[in-house]
Amino acid sequence: MAETNRNVSNNVIRRLPRYLRKLDELHASGLKRVSSADLGSMLGLTPSQIRQDLNSFGGFGQQGYGYNIADLRRELADILGMNHHYKAILVGVGNMGLALIHNFSFEECGFTLECGFDINPEIIGKTINNIPIYADVDMAEYLSNNEIDVAVLCVPRRIADVKVQELKTYGVRAIWNYTNVDIDNRDKDLIIENMNFPDSLLALEYYITERRRREEGEH
Amino acid sequence: MAETNRNVSNNVIRRLPRYLRKLDELHASGLKRVSSADLGSMLGLTPSQIRQDLNSFGGFGQQGYGYNIADLRRELADILGMNHHYKAILVGVGNMGLALIHNFSFEECGFTLECGFDINPEIIGKTINNIPIYADVDMAEYLSNNEIDVAVLCVPRRIADVKVQELKTYGVRAIWNYTNVDIDNRDKDLIIENMNFPDSLLALEYYITERRRREEGEH
């Protein structure tokens, strides 16, 4: 879906937020350093996997000392780009969009949610949880005047592709996709991150089914 | 997070829903069979990866013929357990819970959403999009009388762990976790599938940052 210069595998990248979260916790608890063995056991990973993952980015630990928690935390935040203050807009302020506006902290991830766009006259012009909601027809103009890094796509699935084309036209090159559809993406420079609810529930279903098969096999 | 008898890797399991979705599409378009090369190019995977993935479950293709779409689709649905009609309940009917009730089709994944539980008196006793909402205090009794396969956890993060313990006590052994916190899970038999919003946004942030570094490097 996305390429990187460093040739770091997607699996490693997916683990970085978990490292960061755990380091935040340890940092908050006042701990100064942590060994790859301890970090691994807390995260359900082997020490060598931890070392391998972190070595993909240059290696931060010291033999016999482990990792300095504050340093590693800062390095990971830097690798992720949390200090860039990327700007996001919400495209579609229905139930899902509202759930994000009310419950999700973009700031904690290093983003600012600038505003939302919708066609619903009942919310256009209002401010919801400090986020102004504008008319969908004004989005193109807004994007011409503002550099936006990410569009959070929460529109109905039938218009997902149309909206993506529109966003691309106006220079948005990363999409956090909540539409549950695979976006047609022939533009290699467009980054799409899917929050695919059915995929997640189907994976859970597989694990439930496997456990059931295992338990039936045991009897 | 979850073990399987077949020793199929998590990565393969995560791809199964995507296969299924693509096969659904092909089936709907009237196609009868598909080669691993064509399926691969549609999904951005190599033919050998496709063959390897599907071989983990026994192998369904025929040399020179490819895959029979209807058969493969049925097999994958069976592997996932879509025909088991698992029962789900919604725990916490705030913005996120409402977004799921209104926008997400549990049925399409082979689940039935039976009801929701909340503490909000304004919705207790009501029916939202055909889903009855009951009082949180009645959940224990409900679970004693009804076999529920999955709890969809949409409560505030501060009570996530308490709710998980409660659900476990009453026999729920799989949780679709929308609380954005890592659930303390020492019970190996409890299956937890995380829809972790920050992890997804942080991964997207990494890809945006990498692209920026690449583009700056090019100049």
Side-chain angles (χ1 to χ4, degrees), chain A residues 42-57:
Chain A
M42 286 182 277
L43 289 165
L45 299 166
T46 65
S48 85
Q49 202 169 6
I50 300 266
R51 286 192 298 268
Q52 232 172 50
D53 281 3
L54 298 175
N55 278 338
S56 334
F57 299 99

Side-chain angles (χ1 to χ4, degrees), chain A residues 201 204 208, chain B residues 86-89 111 148-152 172 174-176:
Chain A
L201 186 55
L204 178 61
I208 295 171
Chain B
Y86 294 124
K87 289 180 179 174
I89 60 168
F111 286 79
I148 295 299
D149 301 290
V150 182
V152 185
V172 176
I175 290 177
W176 199 20

Side-chain angles (χ1 to χ4, degrees), chain B residues 30-69:
Chain B
L31 212 64
K32 296 279 176 250
R33 61 178 180 168
V34 64
S35 67
S36 50
D38 287 348
L39 195 55
S41 93
M42 285 182 276
L43 290 166
L45 300 166
T46 64
S48 85
Q49 201 170 7
I50 300 266
R51 285 192 298 266
Q52 232 172 49
D53 280 4
L54 298 176
N55 277 338
S56 335
F57 300 99
F60 311 106
Q62 269 177 27
Q63 192 97 42
Y65 175 87
Y67 298 101
N68 177 303
I69 290 169

Side-chain angles (χ1 to χ4, degrees), chain B residues 185-196:
Chain B
N185 181 15
R186 291 184 192 121
D187 178 354
K188 287 285 170 214
D189 198 38
L190 188 69
I191 301 171
I192 296 177
E193 167 75 12
N194 296 303
M195 281 296 283
N196 196 301

